[in-house]
Amino acid sequence: MSDKKIFTNNNGGPVVDDDNSKTASKQGPTLIEDYHLIEKLAHFDRERIPERVVHAVGSGAFGYFVLTNPEIKKYTRAKVFTELNKKTEVFVRFSTVAGSKGASDEVRDPRGFAVRFYTSEGNLDIVGNNTPVFFIRDAKKFPDFIHTQKPDPITNRNNPDAQWDFWSLTPESIHQVFILFSNRGTPYGFRHMNGYGTHTFSFINEKGDKVFIKYHFKTAQGIKNLTKEEQAIIPGKNPCFAAQDLYEAIERKEFPKWKLYIQVMTLEQVKNASFDPFDDTKVWPHGDYPLIEVGEMVLDRNPRNYFAEVEQAGFTPANIVPGIGFSYDKMLLGRLFAYSDTQRYRIGANYMQLSVNKPHGCPMFNYMADGHMTENEHIHKINYQPNSIDAYEFMKHDDTTLVVDEKFAPGYYSQDDDYYKQPAAFLEVLKKQGGTEYDDLVSNLANSLKLASKTSIERMLAHYEKVNAQFAEDVKKIINA
């Protein structure tokens, strides 16, 4: 066999000429029998898949996770969190939320922080953000919220009043809006920010005991945010600043690291909590529910093909493993359907067969073998269940079904819920940090809010009065300046 690299069609057949189309004569016309031309153009026409509705601008890297605290096994029997010092392969995708493909990755926006663990029991996805809370707490509001962040349907331009109109009518968003317009809303790349699972999940141990948990990834690189001056310049000067910073750090072997922690709440603590623990617009106070170290995550390999390994990556919080379950978090329960559904639309019904998405640490068997772009190598004698011809065994493990218990399973949220206590506490944290943190939040927020309508401004200031009267006055001064 020759060592020469022969240029071929996709079927492996050699191509004679990749520069000139076959024509009926020297001047044409072009012949449809030029299969290489047709294949090349047809592939080019389909090189782009529908972009993500949100999180379209992103970067990714591979690495590993190592458990450092074997005591976690008292909360869960998931092997990834019980086998001490075992390396588990991970893939992480960082992203902005609102921008379309080609937008800068250093704008004021929450950052997606999606982690996939390729465990020996299946893929575990933790699909969160760099903020511990979110804007809304019910998936029914999600399409409306995202519409306010996207171009106006008439002008095709961003509409500041749409954002502030929605936020002023959705007071549970105040906490996240404060975080967004603080300096945490413009992190310095992807390496210098924390990641959070955002939602409440459940852990189940060997005995079947259940607790509820929240995930926290703490950056070992230290928190670093862009200054106002940097944020005004960098997105225009280098729209891929965060992507470049991540890629080059890994190439230099300065591998980014994060420590994984969890917060734990027992069923009894849930029932006695002074707030709704399943409301993703709320944080769990660390003084009451301290962080417990789990392990360390290291990213040490850049993707070899961005499209194949980052663009085609499809995450979903529905990907869990034995020992981990869901909670009564309404946003989480809505995402269990929405994320998988959007990947089927964006990539195809068999998106989980792609290399970046399929399980790496264990085999995958079921009867879903057909459909567009299937790569399933398993040949079945039949394709139905139950059967006695080519059947698989079923492993009993934790039942993730949520028990309806009015003592700790909330129904519709009341209209007199406390929207203001935790945002007020966030302002106190900024003041204690000193420097310009508090003033920057006031300035960033006021300069954005003043672009909204008078009605939206008045509604928003009324909310801020209930958070902190002085803060409302500080914002009002800049708006009226």
Side-chain angles (χ1 to χ4, degrees):
M1 181 180 291
S2 173
D3 292 332
K4 291 183 178 179
K5 294 182 178 179
I6 304 299
F7 197 103
T8 72
N9 285 316
N10 286 336
N11 73 326
V15 172
V16 176
D17 189 340
D18 191 41
D19 297 315
N20 304 289
S21 299
K22 286 185 179 181
T23 55
S25 63
K26 191 173 183 179
Q27 263 68 45
T30 301
L31 300 177
I32 198 171
E33 73 177 55
D34 189 346
Y35 178 73
H36 180 61
L37 168 67
I38 301 301
E39 183 180 64
K40 190 174 183 180
L41 292 180
H43 185 278
F44 174 77
D45 291 345
R46 293 161 176 80
E47 282 183 355
R48 297 296 176 265
I49 59 178
E51 72 172 43
R52 289 170 168 85
V53 177
V54 288
H55 298 281
V57 180
S59 301
F62 291 87
Y64 60 89
F65 169 82
V66 176
L67 181 78
T68 57
N69 182 6
E71 294 302 312
I72 298 300
K73 66 183 178 183
K74 71 182 179 181
Y75 301 117
T76 178
R77 69 182 188 88
K79 291 182 179 179
V80 64
F81 297 142
T82 58
E83 297 181 350
L84 187 64
N85 296 325
K86 178 184 177 181
K87 280 188 177 182
T88 299
E89 183 187 3
V90 299
F91 172 70
V92 182
R93 186 176 187 272
F94 306 100
S95 57
T96 57
V97 175
S100 298
K101 290 286 291 180
S104 171
D105 58 17
E106 277 296 350
V107 294
R108 184 173 299 283
D109 203 4
R111 301 299 192 269
F113 197 108
V115 183
R116 169 164 291 153
F117 298 80
Y118 297 98
T119 87
S120 61
E121 299 177 292
N123 287 353
L124 169 64
D125 289 357
I126 300 176
V127 191
N129 291 316
N130 71 323
T131 56
V133 296
F134 196 58
F135 295 94
I136 53 177
R137 56 192 181 185
D138 194 312
K140 189 176 285 186
K141 280 187 173 182
F142 190 74
D144 303 295
F145 164 62
I146 293 302
H147 287 165
T148 70
Q149 308 301 302
K150 292 293 187 176
D152 184 273
I154 304 299
T155 66
N156 200 40
R157 300 192 302 270
N158 286 344
N159 183 354
D161 190 47
Q163 298 177 16
W164 289 106
D165 182 43
F166 180 87
W167 286 334
S168 67
L169 294 169
T170 313
E172 67 261 34
S173 68
I174 294 173
H175 197 172
Q176 173 74 322
V177 171
F178 277 10
I179 295 174
L180 175 63
F181 282 92
S182 73
N183 291 336
R184 303 182 193 190
T186 53
Y188 187 97
F190 297 130
R191 296 183 297 133
H192 296 277
M193 66 182 191
N194 293 338
Y196 302 89
T198 304
H199 301 294
T200 300
F201 289 84
S202 57
F203 272 9
I204 306 99
N205 66 16
E206 287 283 4
K207 298 178 182 178
D209 300 326
K210 178 184 287 188
V211 295
F212 291 100
I213 66 101
K214 280 186 174 287
Y215 295 107
H216 300 252
F217 291 88
K218 298 290 187 179
T219 177
Q221 290 70 242
I223 295 291
K224 185 178 180 181
N225 301 311
L226 296 182
T227 65
K228 281 186 177 181
E229 294 74 22
E230 289 172 330
Q231 208 281 320
I233 297 172
I234 287 178
K237 189 175 180 180
N238 182 2
C240 300
F241 176 86
Q244 180 178 341
D245 177 71
L246 175 67
Y247 185 93
E248 292 183 350
I250 293 175
E251 290 299 296
R252 293 193 304 269
K253 300 188 183 304
E254 296 176 9
F255 302 137
K257 300 177 181 179
W258 285 262
K259 279 284 184 70
L260 173 61
Y261 298 83
I262 57 170
Q263 287 178 288
V264 174
M265 196 180 292
T266 65
L267 294 182
E268 196 61 33
Q269 287 175 313
V270 168
K271 296 174 184 178
N272 296 323
S274 61
F275 62 98
D276 181 357
F278 307 114
D279 179 349
D280 68 356
T281 68
K282 301 286 197 299
V283 296
W284 293 4
H286 289 193
D288 299 325
Y289 315 99
L291 295 180
I292 302 171
E293 182 178 328
V294 180
E296 184 177 66
M297 180 176 74
V298 180
L299 300 183
D300 62 357
R301 179 174 77 79
N302 282 312
R304 288 183 279 265
N305 182 306
Y306 179 89
F307 184 85
E309 297 182 303
V310 181
E311 192 65 18
Q312 289 193 134
F315 293 87
T316 171
N319 284 346
I320 57 173
V321 296
I324 300 176
F326 307 124
S327 79
Y328 301 94
D329 182 331
K330 286 189 173 182
M331 270 298 295
L332 169 62
L333 297 177
R335 292 177 78 200
L336 299 183
F337 162 74
Y339 271 61
S340 297
D341 190 53
T342 194
Q343 305 304 351
R344 294 185 190 99
Y345 162 72
R346 195 175 68 88
I347 311 172
N350 292 304
Y351 78 97
M352 285 300 296
Q353 294 181 26
L354 298 177
S355 177
V356 71
N357 297 324
K358 69 181 181 182
H360 292 187
C362 64
M364 184 275 290
F365 297 109
N366 57 48
Y367 296 107
M368 292 183 285
D370 298 335
H372 185 61
M373 296 295 287
T374 184
E375 290 188 351
N376 199 326
E377 298 174 355
H378 306 294
I379 300 174
H380 301 285
K381 297 177 182 178
I382 43 77
N383 59 356
Y384 59 88
Q385 164 66 31
N387 73 83
S388 59
I389 302 170
D390 190 20
Y392 298 131
E393 294 183 14
F394 290 87
M395 184 183 77
K396 291 183 178 181
H397 63 87
D398 315 306
D399 186 355
T400 58
T401 302
L402 296 173
V403 178
V404 178
D405 184 340
E406 289 301 324
K407 293 181 180 178
F408 60 87
Y412 289 102
Y413 296 105
S414 61
Q415 293 302 310
D416 60 349
D417 194 7
D418 185 358
Y419 306 119
Y420 310 112
K421 184 178 180 180
Q422 289 200 356
F426 179 74
L427 292 181
E428 292 304 313
V429 169
L430 294 187
K431 289 178 181 178
K432 289 180 181 179
Q433 287 179 346
T436 64
E437 291 288 335
Y438 175 84
D439 293 337
D440 288 345
L441 169 60
V442 172
S443 175
N444 294 335
L445 195 149
N447 284 312
S448 176
L449 180 55
K450 70 181 182 182
L451 300 176
S453 69
K454 182 180 179 181
T455 301
S456 295
I457 292 173
E458 291 175 349
R459 277 199 302 258
M460 212 69 247
L461 289 174
H463 288 306
Y464 295 161
E465 281 279 351
K466 297 177 181 178
V467 174
N468 181 290
Q470 184 59 56
F471 176 77
E473 186 61 30
D474 292 341
V475 171
K476 189 175 181 180
K477 283 180 182 178
I478 296 179
I479 291 176
N480 294 334

